[in-house]
Amino acid sequence: MLSRLSSLSKDAVVYGLAGAAARVSGLVLLPVYTRVFQDTESYGAWQIVSIFGALLVAVAALGLDGATSILFFDTDSPLERQRITTLWLLISVLASVLLTIVLVLLSGPVSGLLTGSERYADLLRVGIAVLPFNMLQLVVAGILRLQFRPRAFALLNVGLTVLVLSTSIYLVVGLHMDVMGALLGTLAGTAVAAIAGLWTVRSAVDWQLLTSEAWPVAARMLKLGAPLVPAAAALWVVSFSNTFFVARLLSTGDAGVFRVGAQIASVLGIAVYAFQYAWSPFSLSIAKAPDAHRVYSRVAMLYTAGSVGSAVLLGGAAPIVLLLAKGDYAPASSVIGLLALGAASVGLYYISALGLNLAQRTGHVGWTNMVAALANVVLNAALIPIWGIIGAAIAALVANLLLVVLLYIMSQRVYPIPFDGVRMAWVWLTGSVAVAIAAAFNVMVQPSVWMSLAFTTVLMLGYVVVLFLLKAITPGQVSLGLAGIRAALRGRPAGQVGSGAAGERRR
């Protein structure tokens, strides 16, 4: 058990550094852009174009990221694995280039659909042009994960972050190019990083393997990935469509304020990102191990307790947004806790879907995502006119939790895994109550930063006490987790950690 958790912790720490770089860049750009851009509407337009780019990646990926992982670990042949990764690269590049050409030609009408005006068509064209490089970056990152090369993954992602950050700031601040500079900086940085990444994984690509034997493999990849395309699009609806509803039902400026709250909440995304990228290859690679189910259950509980606790922390300290953005964006503090809980549910989504991936029943992922997406659309339409951006945050949280519940039920039916679902649900309820208390306190009291920090400390202590009362975590589990992380950070073999962890193994 300890060896497994230590391995997962080690990879998660490295992936977390890469994710931290991306999130930190977002926080660095937040005070810059909210002050340099002309108004909240400009910030909202930039966010809308960026989020639309995420939808394009979800569609152009054709579900091959998930399908490739499943097939890659389904064979032990190095040659067959190389054929799979080569096909992934080829199909992804062709699909993304074709989609880019079509959407650039239709940028005017698409801009009108997204923002209600075609005046953002030029911005949209630049945002669309990033797609092929984003896809190349996605494939490169995926191959590095499949090869268990987290350090190379982190180095490339940190390089991408530095390139985009420095180029964007220079164009926006130095050349005063406003939103266009931000988008051009993203395009230039992503292109350079993607090309460098392709060189890094060159050993995983061999075009000579694209013989007649490759096409049945490609067909199987596309068949496995097909249900994941609407699933990915639906997941995008759950995660990002709220911004577009806010823009259309309220204003582009309100969308900008909402996205500032989402940017702050995405600090939790560092841990979720790390866990997500480490979890997929790790969970599939140990599927045949005797202790696999025990490891899955333990990881699920530890992740739930930690991620929900992080959401409580962000919700309590929400007034910190006043330090990162100018006064016009202060209302964003009202949605940070809710959006952080939504971010926490993303990692649980991947845990809940594990059984479906192991059983290769990806079709259930598609329809469950679409049900959650429909719920999100309905809730946005109903709640935003009443509660504004808070309604959008509630819609996102409810849709995310609905998705996790549906995936959990279907996964347990086709491939039962002994998760402690009841105790995990109690942890979520505790965290949700704590976030609601924090939101009410911040809105009614409007505390100073120091008062907010004191309140958050008390709130977190209460949350931890409840976790121990529920036995969601135990002192032995805490010792085990800390020992695994220490071993991962020091690069020591898992079996060399202290006696506290060994005691937990015996228990």
Side-chain angles (χ1 to χ4, degrees):
M1 169 68 75
L2 181 57
S3 176
R4 305 290 189 194
L5 292 181
S6 179
S7 175
L8 179 61
S9 299
K10 184 175 181 179
D11 286 352
V13 166
V14 181
Y15 287 127
L17 293 176
R23 295 311 190 279
V24 168
S25 72
L27 294 179
V28 170
L29 291 174
L30 180 61
V32 175
Y33 286 176
T34 55
R35 287 168 172 81
V36 174
F37 286 172
Q38 296 177 1
D39 48 33
T40 58
E41 184 173 346
S42 296
Y43 187 88
W46 172 61
Q47 283 288 304
I48 286 172
V49 172
S50 300
I51 292 171
F52 182 64
L55 173 61
L56 298 184
V57 170
V59 173
L62 298 177
L64 294 182
D65 46 345
T68 300
S69 297
I70 293 171
L71 295 180
F72 188 89
F73 289 109
D74 198 40
T75 178
D76 295 323
S77 168
L79 195 65
E80 190 63 19
R81 288 183 170 186
Q82 194 176 33
R83 193 194 313 275
I84 290 169
T85 51
T86 302
L87 285 168
W88 185 16
L89 176 64
L90 175 65
I91 297 171
S92 297
V93 170
L94 290 177
S96 62
V97 169
L98 179 60
L99 185 58
T100 297
I101 293 172
V102 172
L103 288 175
V104 166
L105 295 175
L106 298 174
S107 57
V110 173
S111 174
L113 178 64
L114 296 178
T115 67
S117 171
E118 294 192 8
R119 61 181 173 143
Y120 298 113
D122 288 342
L123 299 177
L124 192 62
R125 279 190 282 270
V126 177
I128 292 170
V130 183
L131 176 60
F133 301 108
N134 272 335
M135 286 305 306
L136 187 56
Q137 181 78 8
L138 176 68
V139 174
V140 168
I143 292 174
L144 291 174
R145 288 167 55 212
L146 295 176
Q147 294 178 336
F148 293 100
R149 297 171 61 189
R151 288 181 176 83
F153 177 96
L155 182 61
L156 280 173
N157 278 271
V158 170
L160 168 64
T161 300
V162 171
L163 283 169
V164 171
L165 185 64
S166 57
T167 307
S168 299
I169 290 179
Y170 172 71
L171 295 177
V172 172
V173 179
L175 299 184
H176 307 288
M177 295 183 66
D178 204 63
V179 180
M180 181 61 78
L183 294 171
L184 286 173
T186 300
L187 173 59
T190 306
V192 173
I195 294 171
L198 185 59
W199 182 85
T200 304
V201 299
R202 63 193 183 282
S203 62
V205 179
D206 187 350
W207 303 112
Q208 295 181 357
L209 294 176
L210 299 183
T211 61
S212 58
E213 297 178 0
W215 309 125
V217 178
R220 190 179 177 198
M221 291 173 65
L222 291 169
K223 182 179 179 180
L224 272 175
L228 300 178
V229 177
L235 189 59
W236 177 90
V237 171
V238 172
S239 302
F240 296 115
S241 68
N242 311 69
T243 302
F244 295 94
F245 276 97
V246 172
R248 296 305 299 268
L249 297 176
L250 301 176
S251 70
T252 305
D254 287 314
V257 173
F258 179 76
R259 286 305 304 169
V260 166
Q263 290 285 88
I264 302 296
S266 72
V267 171
L268 177 55
I270 296 173
V272 175
Y273 177 96
F275 174 80
Q276 171 191 339
Y277 274 74
W279 172 252
S280 180
F282 170 83
S283 60
L284 293 172
S285 68
I286 70 167
K288 298 177 183 178
D291 62 343
H293 283 195
R294 185 165 169 247
V295 173
Y296 295 153
S297 180
R298 180 65 55 80
V299 170
M301 181 59 72
L302 291 176
Y303 170 82
T304 300
S307 62
V308 173
S310 299
V312 173
L313 177 63
L314 284 171
I320 198 70
V321 71
L322 298 176
L323 301 179
L324 295 173
K326 64 181 183 180
D328 292 347
Y329 296 89
S333 63
S334 63
V335 299
I336 291 174
L338 293 167
L339 293 174
L341 279 175
S345 69
V346 173
L348 204 57
Y349 165 90
Y350 289 97
I351 293 174
S352 299
L354 175 60
L356 297 176
N357 288 330
L358 292 173
Q360 298 189 13
R361 299 284 294 276
T362 55
H364 291 300
V365 178
W367 75 260
T368 52
N369 281 20
M370 286 186 280
V371 169
L374 178 60
N376 190 49
V377 169
V378 172
L379 288 171
N380 272 303
L383 299 181
I384 291 176
I386 302 173
W387 292 328
I389 61 174
I390 295 177
I394 293 174
L397 175 58
V398 171
N400 272 296
L401 291 178
L402 174 62
L403 175 56
V404 169
V405 170
L406 291 175
L407 276 176
Y408 179 83
I409 292 172
M410 297 310 303
S411 185
Q412 291 296 89
R413 287 184 178 179
V414 302
Y415 196 102
I417 297 174
F419 294 126
D420 193 347
V422 173
R423 212 181 302 270
M424 290 165 64
W426 275 108
V427 173
W428 270 95
L429 179 61
T430 301
S432 299
V433 170
V435 167
I437 292 172
F441 177 80
N442 289 329
V443 170
M444 292 187 294
V445 178
Q446 296 183 357
S448 66
V449 172
W450 291 111
M451 184 184 295
S452 177
L453 290 175
F455 170 76
T456 302
T457 301
V458 173
L459 194 66
M460 285 300 300
L461 288 174
Y463 172 76
V464 171
V465 168
V466 173
L467 288 185
F468 280 107
L469 290 176
L470 290 172
K471 296 184 180 180
I473 57 173
T474 66
Q477 290 174 357
V478 173
S479 177
L480 173 64
L482 292 176
I485 291 174
R486 284 197 300 269
L489 289 173
R490 295 172 184 173
R492 296 166 54 193
Q496 296 179 9
V497 296
S499 60
E504 171 60 20
R505 285 203 305 276
R506 288 192 295 271
R507 281 189 288 275

